Amino acid sequence: MYVSGLYTEIRVPRLKVVACGLYLLLLLGTTRGQDDHHILRLHNDIIKNNNPKVRPVKNSSDTVTVSLQLHLLSMSDFDEVTQTVTANGFLLVIWKDEFLTWNASEYGGVSEISPDYGMVWRPYITIRNVVDSVEPLGLDFGIMKVTANGIVNWAPGDTFKTFCQMDVTNFPLDEQECTYSTFNWGDSLKEVDLQPINNSIGLDLFNANSQWDIMHTSAQRVISEANNTPIPFVNFKMTLKRKPSLAILTTLLPVLMLGLVNVVVFLIPVESGEKLSFAITVLLSFTVSLSFVTGMLPQNGDSIPVFTIFIVGQFVMSSIYVFLTIWIVQVFHRDAAIRPVPSWMGRLTRSWERCFCGTPAVGNKENLAMAACECPSVSWIRVSKMADRIMFCVFFIAYTLTTVISTLKIAYL
């Protein structure tokens, strides 16, 4: 008896909760049905009788002001060779349609509807600098909202593949400025005027790119003329900065190390038999590096990267190293009995040996190093070895200076 009463006391509150829930669902369903009825009546009264071919102004002399803002979602490709940028995004387009206004109180408080975009006038917004076919945006799809006071919000989305003039002078620490130039196709300034919503590109939904960072964006209205007819343009600009880590590790650093290794050819003894083959191998490596770098840069003469000039310089120096190595090897194998060392070359060799070995103090005996340098006669072997030392010092200094100058020019130009 006690258990039955306790079960009844617990069951009754649960039944009340279920009944309240069913009542709320019924109330919401009724309200939803009333809203759908008002929206359907609103479509029949206003949208159905609207002509999308007529500009949305009651006075034909008035101008329709269209506000634009570009929103980027991702940047899928940045091709330096073809100088094109492929990005995904949409345009937020806002204007006032004087024919699509209503009193919200007469339609159950409905203040916003989503009509079929084919039943509402819309501007033919076009991006001028696209690479593929030039056509207006949103011809087959677009989300549109209309408010009770006639404000139309339209967001056509697409994949934009546009041309971007690139300046690769400072590659791989370069910055690029790309522009999306939008205009209204078919209407002049007197009919449709374009204005940017704000001075930037929307990046709230943007997915970061692995190779480029967007440093700055801007939006600017420009008036151009075609056949003496003013046409408004809104140019959306973005400044891109390359992420240099990958380019430094895969391109810049190997070339710098290759140039340093190239100078070491003068430290390889002629007796090893690998001196000339080493110089030729490094020369071929520079050829491969030069073809690799030029293959990933724009194929035009508008801007030449400092890095490319540096590689060409190293290629020329490597060619000189090959000729000098051939000469040094030839000098090394000369027979002094058949072709003696000229006296001027002997004096010059002894002078350079004193510079490298050091000058002894006055009144002191020469040390072992000077004794090794002061042999009674100068042979062709001594001449070739001294030439190796001189070439190494000269070209190592030249390599260091050119590397420092090129790096500073790339980083701070």
Side-chain angles (χ1 to χ4, degrees), residues 97-131:
D97 194 322
E98 297 181 0
F99 300 121
L100 302 181
T101 58
W102 66 89
N103 189 349
S105 61
E106 297 178 0
Y107 293 92
V110 177
S111 60
E112 182 181 272
I113 58 174
S114 300
D116 182 3
Y117 72 96
M119 299 297 295
V120 179
W121 177 92
R122 63 186 187 275
Y124 291 116
I125 303 298
T126 309
I127 297 180
R128 179 176 61 176
N129 57 327
V130 293
V131 176

Side-chain angles (χ1 to χ4, degrees), residues 259-264 266-267 314 317 321 388-404:
L260 181 60
V261 169
N262 200 13
V263 184
V264 182
F266 297 109
L267 298 181
Q314 292 299 316
M317 296 297 292
Y321 297 165
D388 268 335
R389 295 180 182 178
I390 296 173
M391 298 302 176
F392 174 77
C393 294
V394 171
F395 288 110
F396 180 78
I397 294 174
Y399 167 77
T400 304
L401 291 177
T402 54
T403 301
V404 171

Side-chain angles (χ1 to χ4, degrees), residues 53 95 107 164 171 210 252 314 345 387 405:
K53 302 296 183 181
W95 70 92
Y107 293 92
C164 180
F171 174 86
S210 60
L252 182 60
Q314 292 299 316
M345 187 174 291
I405 294 173

Side-chain angles (χ1 to χ4, degrees), residues 169-173 252 256 305-314 398-413:
T169 303
N170 296 333
F171 174 86
L173 304 177
L252 182 60
L256 293 178
V306 176
F307 183 58
T308 301
I309 299 175
F310 175 78
I311 296 180
V312 172
Q314 292 299 316
Y399 167 77
T400 304
L401 291 177
T402 54
T403 301
V404 171
I405 294 173
S406 300
T407 303
L408 293 177
K409 194 171 184 180
I410 292 174
Y412 300 104
L413 183 63

Side-chain angles (χ1 to χ4, degrees), residues 12-70:
V12 171
R14 289 185 178 179
L15 290 176
K16 291 181 179 180
V17 171
V18 173
C20 292
L22 293 175
Y23 176 76
L24 290 175
L25 290 176
L26 181 63
L27 181 62
L28 291 174
T30 304
T31 306
R32 179 61 181 174
Q34 293 176 354
D35 290 342
D36 292 341
H37 170 71
H38 292 304
I39 292 175
L40 179 61
R41 188 163 59 92
L42 185 58
H43 275 268
N44 293 331
D45 293 345
I46 298 179
I47 303 299
K48 188 175 181 180
N49 298 323
N50 186 59
N51 188 352
K53 302 296 183 181
V54 179
R55 286 190 309 119
V57 288
K58 296 180 180 180
N59 187 352
S60 59
S61 61
D62 292 343
T63 301
V64 180
T65 301
V66 178
S67 301
L68 304 174
Q69 184 179 22
L70 176 64

